[in-house]
Amino acid sequence: MTRTAQDERAGAQAAEGAIPWRRVVVKLSGEALMGEGPHGLDMPTLERIAADLSAAAALGVEVAVVVGGGNFFRGIAGADKGIERARADSIGMLATVMNALALEYAIEKEGRSARALSAVPMPSLCEPFSRQAALHHLGKGRVVVLAGGTGNPFFTTDTGAALRGAELSCDLIMKATQVDGVYSADPKRDPSATRYETLTHDEAIAKSLAVMDTAAFALARENRIPIIVFSIREPGAISAALQGRGRFSLVRP
Ligand code: UDP
């Protein structure tokens, strides 16, 4: 599918500086896709997020999404049940492929072209990940859904997002969470917790603020990639944050 004239106009606006971001990677946890359910996929939630990703791409921003798998399976939970960790992580990576296929389908149903690329090659289901393929699809205005995290056990999809962010020269990582930013403490447990509008990577480390997991955060910091932390529970949150609207925290070098 080619970009519409509207997209081209939006792309021109983005290039003129109305939107400061040219290419972004969104980290979407598996939990974000299960809505209020206990596990798996909640269709209305999947459709809402797909619509938001599609709207973000229509702004003229190139959008890659690294999707997690925690709504189906996490390696650590498997290891706790006695499955060898590397094997359990393989199962976890497969869970991310299920989510990526569902998301690719839902984005295409929105009328936006999308491609799932997997770090774990399974060519009968989706394309294997390569930097060239990802950049090609992004350049065509497709939402690129990245499955399989880093493709290695003992990592998480947070690290996958930071890795792909660096590899694909993204100028922003968008970490979708259940809360609207980075807080001084867990706002669900501590009512006195305060939210940061902006902070630096160094401040987040010095204050032990859990923005992303440690390996992911170290990669983002080393490559000087800013991170927007926002709530995926708000409809339209991705496109709003890209335009500097809504509530979020910005972690910058
Ligand atoms: N995983 C992995 N390597 C990676 C990314 C993910 O082995 O590079 C496995 C790991 O078992 C993890 C699971 O896939 O628990 C699902 O990913 P994650 O926990 O990051 O999903 P989320 O919490 O974001 O839903």
Side-chain angles (χ1 to χ4, degrees):
M1 185 185 299
T2 56
R3 289 206 215 190
T4 62
Q6 195 185 3
D7 283 9
E8 295 293 354
R9 233 185 354 260
Q13 270 176 6
E16 279 164 17
I19 295 173
W21 318 109
R22 182 182 51 92
R23 182 180 298 147
V24 303
V25 60
V26 180
K27 163 62 211 294
L28 193 64
S29 70
E31 277 179 2
L33 298 176
M34 68 188 194
E36 300 304 321
H39 53 74
L41 295 169
D42 176 60
M43 283 314 288
T45 306
L46 180 71
E47 284 162 8
R48 172 174 63 75
I49 293 174
D52 196 6
L53 288 164
S54 170
L59 292 171
V61 179
E62 293 183 10
V63 180
V65 193
V66 169
V67 69
N71 53 330
F72 288 116
F73 195 87
R74 278 207 183 88
I76 287 185
D80 285 346
K81 289 182 184 151
I83 305 175
E84 185 197 11
R85 175 68 192 271
R87 175 59 60 109
D89 279 340
S90 299
I91 302 172
M93 285 187 265
L94 290 175
T96 72
V97 179
M98 293 200 275
N99 284 331
L101 294 179
L103 201 54
E104 179 194 46
Y105 171 77
I107 296 166
E108 294 237 312
K109 219 169 131 206
E110 276 294 318
R112 163 74 43 185
S113 186
R115 285 290 187 285
L117 305 183
S118 175
V120 181
M122 37 184 92
S124 55
L125 297 185
C126 59
E127 276 180 58
F129 171 80
S130 74
R131 181 171 178 272
Q132 290 82 349
L135 293 175
H136 169 80
H137 294 308
L138 288 169
K140 295 229 175 257
R142 296 175 182 141
V143 175
V144 168
V145 185
L146 298 166
T150 65
N152 296 288
F154 300 97
F155 285 102
T156 65
T157 51
D158 266 12
T159 307
L163 174 66
R164 298 304 183 220
E167 198 177 357
L168 300 174
S169 309
C170 293
D171 34 30
L172 178 69
I173 296 170
M174 302 188 78
K175 163 85 175 163
T177 68
Q178 302 297 314
V179 290
D180 57 1
V182 181
Y183 280 77
S184 54
D186 182 351
K188 285 181 185 151
R189 289 192 199 145
D190 182 351
S192 69
T194 52
R195 191 175 64 89
Y196 291 90
E197 282 290 327
T198 60
L199 70 162
T200 64
H201 293 83
D202 290 336
E203 270 174 309
I205 290 173
K207 293 180 179 153
S208 303
L209 302 172
V211 179
M212 298 178 92
D213 69 49
T214 316
F217 195 74
L219 259 175
R221 180 186 183 222
E222 201 173 300
N223 291 286
R224 305 180 61 78
I225 310 176
I227 308 168
I228 276 181
V229 181
F230 67 103
S231 168
I232 194 66
R233 299 170 81 94
E234 301 299 321
I238 301 169
S239 26
L242 282 171
Q243 296 171 91
R245 293 190 283 105
R247 280 164 70 85
F248 57 81
S249 299
L250 173 65
V251 185
R252 52 182 171 70

